[in-house]
Amino acid sequence: MSQTVQFQRPDGAMVSGYLAQAAQPVGAVVVIQEWWGLNDQIRGVADRFARAGFTALVPDLYRGQSTVEAEEAHHLMSGLDFGQAAAQDVRGAVSYLKGLALGSGKVGVTGYCMGGALTVLASTLVPEADAAVVWYGMPPLEFVDASKIGIPLQAHWATQDEFFKIDGVDALEAKLAEAGVAYEGHRYLAHHAFANETAQGPGRLPQTQYDAAWAQLAWDRTMRFFGRQLG
């Protein structure tokens, strides 16, 4: 069962989001969109989490806007205040799910591409979260205060990613290790967006490529991780 809901940010502003409800929830997850916006693909991801037992909420970070054009997606992403999105929108979404008291009452955060970068930031800015899973996205290192990450973190990286180079991942992982973060990283011989089933065929961006095998492995690892941390 799914619906559009309204939830409150810490600053009092209201935000809408897509809520996919699990029939018998183990816990809950905030799912953060790619740069395309709150589209059918990310709704499908939320629905998949719900079928797996995690009620999922996708905050509408672009306030009703979405696109299939890379240039427009870049424009929308460039207009987003990442700090505000993590500390206000994502934190508000986590608090909303906490208020529903689903299953264990624990709430995770996960995101893809731009949403992956926001997941890293949220792990430093949303103390109410219980765990986080990053999918091929990270913010500039200078914005990551790893000393503030107090939750278990899992990440899925593509070694052939042209948007988020693997040497940047090396630097991020070194920073996480230095801070003693409970971190579990996985790397795949894949391109950016390897878990997005729409990143295939003639319409895909040339830097992206869906890979069903790696996507399934990463999903299985995510399920085991969230099962341990949120169950």
Side-chain angles (χ1 to χ4, degrees), residues 142-186:
E142 61 266 29
F143 295 110
V144 181
D145 184 350
S147 68
K148 292 184 178 178
I149 301 177
I151 60 174
L153 188 65
Q154 185 186 74
H156 304 288
W157 308 107
T159 59
Q160 297 173 306
D161 198 321
E162 296 181 43
F163 292 112
F164 299 94
K165 302 284 189 179
I166 205 68
D167 58 350
V169 175
D170 291 338
L172 173 64
E173 290 184 336
K175 197 169 188 177
L176 297 176
E178 184 180 0
V181 176
Y183 171 73
E184 173 188 321
H186 300 282

Side-chain angles (χ1 to χ4, degrees), residues 16 27-28 59 84 86 100 104 107 119 129 135 140 144 157 160 174 188 192 200 212 215 219:
S16 67
Q84 284 283 306
L100 297 181
S104 66
V107 178
T119 299
W135 295 75
V144 181
W157 308 107
Q160 297 173 306
Y188 307 84
H192 187 73
Q200 58 184 321
W219 176 260

Side-chain angles (χ1 to χ4, degrees), residues 12 15 27 39 43 48 66 104 121 130 143 156 161 166 182 185 195:
V15 183
N39 59 11
R43 290 187 185 94
R48 190 180 186 191
S66 64
S104 66
L121 288 177
D130 295 291
F143 295 110
H156 304 288
D161 198 321
I166 205 68

